[in-house]
Amino acid sequence: MNTPSNAMPQSSLGSQGIAPALISATRPFYWSLRRELWENRLIYIVPLAAAALFLVGFLINMIALRYRVHGTWPPNPAHQGDVLITIPFEISAALIMGTALIVGIFYSLDALYGERRDRSILFWKSLPVSDFTAVLSKLSIPLVVIPLLSFAITLVTHFIMLLLSSAVLLGSSANIAALWTQGSFVRVSVEIFYHMLTVHGLWYAPIYGWLLLVSAASPRAPFIWAALPPFVICGVEKIAFNTTHFLNMLMHRLAGPSSPAMTMPGGAPMDPMATLIPHNFFSEPGLWIGLAIAAAFLAAAVRLRRYRGPI
């Protein structure tokens, strides 16, 4: 009769021990991520600067719009179609995403090389944080943190663009409400968020894995060591076999996923977002091959960090 009563406290104690164990396992990773954000402020400063520059140019363009139609304001009804423009959401998003990609590349090249160069690796290795946790936190920055930050900055930028456009067109005969509806603010935001998670987060994983591996292995000048092997492979393949398979593979990886089925009968490509439909994207063999290669690069980078000392 006493057995059930004794079993319940034991089970409750066992369940209570799961949460502290999980917290203790994830806390080093959490603080490793915070360390990367503290030490690398360019992760969010550079995309913010790119967004600010775009907004300045956009504001100048909107102010010039007031005098574009024969120097009069409000414009004639015949020219309202020229005033009611489609806000360039895609241009601002492409600028911020391109900037984020460049930041991710240079961050990955310096992530493990920098701590060996300034000899801070001796201090970080003295902490109770495994090499796997340290390298995984560094890989999470370009794969997760930078895409999410870029999406948030893009979303705020688009909202400010709508406010600026509404302020410029205020008092005119233009339909300001159409700016908020025809621009498809919500649809574009969802597409950008999905693009950042799939392409920048999963498709580019082998690129960032390779850069981290080079950062852990190179004695100096990691950018040269990262670019030289692919360049040599492309040159040797071209000279020996007169083919460009490796170069085409690199261009395919950088350009993003594409499927031969996603072309129209005349050979013209369809909407690029069609290749990111979950069924098309996750059935792409190149995605899973790239993730496997990224895992191999990650394991090699962890092993190199374990045995490499300061420069």
Side-chain angles (χ1 to χ4, degrees):
M1 296 295 294
N2 294 331
T3 302
S5 60
N6 294 334
M8 292 182 62
Q10 291 176 359
S11 60
S12 61
L13 290 176
S15 61
Q16 291 175 2
I18 295 176
L22 181 61
I23 294 176
S24 62
T26 57
R27 183 172 296 174
F29 179 79
Y30 168 75
W31 284 106
S32 297
L33 278 179
R34 294 197 61 175
R35 166 210 164 187
E36 298 300 322
L37 294 175
W38 285 336
E39 294 186 347
N40 301 275
R41 297 181 179 180
L42 292 180
I43 291 174
Y44 50 87
I45 291 179
V46 174
L48 283 173
L53 288 176
F54 181 86
L55 287 175
V56 170
F58 181 77
L59 178 60
I60 294 175
N61 179 71
M62 293 303 298
I63 294 176
L65 182 63
R66 297 181 66 94
Y67 307 98
R68 190 172 298 170
V69 184
H70 305 297
T72 61
W73 192 266
N76 297 326
H79 298 286
Q80 289 186 17
D82 298 331
V83 176
L84 193 55
I85 60 173
T86 301
I87 299 178
F89 289 114
E90 292 80 4
I91 298 177
S92 61
L95 175 64
I96 297 174
M97 288 188 293
T99 303
L101 177 61
I102 296 175
V103 171
I105 289 174
F106 281 94
Y107 165 82
S108 301
L109 282 174
D110 192 67
L112 296 172
Y113 173 78
E115 63 181 14
R116 291 189 296 121
R117 181 189 57 221
D118 59 18
R119 307 179 70 87
S120 63
I121 189 173
L122 298 176
F123 170 75
W124 297 117
K125 282 190 173 183
S126 65
L127 299 179
V129 179
S130 64
D131 294 290
F132 176 77
T133 301
V135 176
L136 184 62
S137 65
K138 295 179 182 296
L139 183 62
S140 300
I141 294 296
L143 293 187
V144 180
V145 176
I146 293 181
L148 291 179
L149 284 175
S150 301
F151 168 73
I153 294 173
T154 303
L155 198 64
V156 175
T157 302
H158 287 175
F159 185 73
I160 295 176
M161 290 167 61
L162 286 173
L163 292 178
L164 291 176
S165 301
S166 301
V168 169
L169 297 178
L170 189 64
S172 69
S173 57
N175 187 5
I176 298 179
L179 291 174
W180 297 81
T181 57
Q182 294 180 3
S184 302
F185 178 76
V186 177
R187 177 184 61 82
V188 173
S189 300
V190 173
E191 290 181 355
I192 293 174
F193 179 74
Y194 185 65
H195 174 84
M196 296 298 293
L197 291 183
T198 53
V199 177
H200 290 252
L202 296 177
W203 188 258
Y204 290 160
I207 298 177
Y208 293 125
W210 164 251
L211 296 177
L212 278 178
L213 176 60
V214 172
S215 180
S218 60
R220 59 188 67 249
F223 182 82
I224 296 178
W225 286 100
L228 188 60
F231 179 79
V232 171
I233 293 175
C234 292
V236 171
E237 180 191 358
K238 182 64 177 178
I239 295 173
F241 307 103
N242 195 26
T243 59
T244 58
H245 298 301
F246 189 77
L247 178 61
N248 294 335
M249 183 270 295
L250 291 180
M251 296 302 296
H252 176 62
R253 181 61 55 176
L254 290 173
S258 62
S259 175
M262 303 310 299
T263 56
M264 299 180 68
M270 296 177 63
D271 184 6
M273 286 302 298
T275 61
L276 298 182
I277 297 175
H279 173 73
N280 297 325
F281 180 75
F282 290 101
S283 62
E284 175 73 29
L287 170 66
W288 303 106
I289 296 175
L291 292 177
I293 294 175
F297 287 155
L298 176 64
V302 171
R303 185 172 182 83
L304 284 173
R305 186 182 188 271
R306 183 174 303 164
Y307 298 105
R308 285 295 180 101
I311 300 175

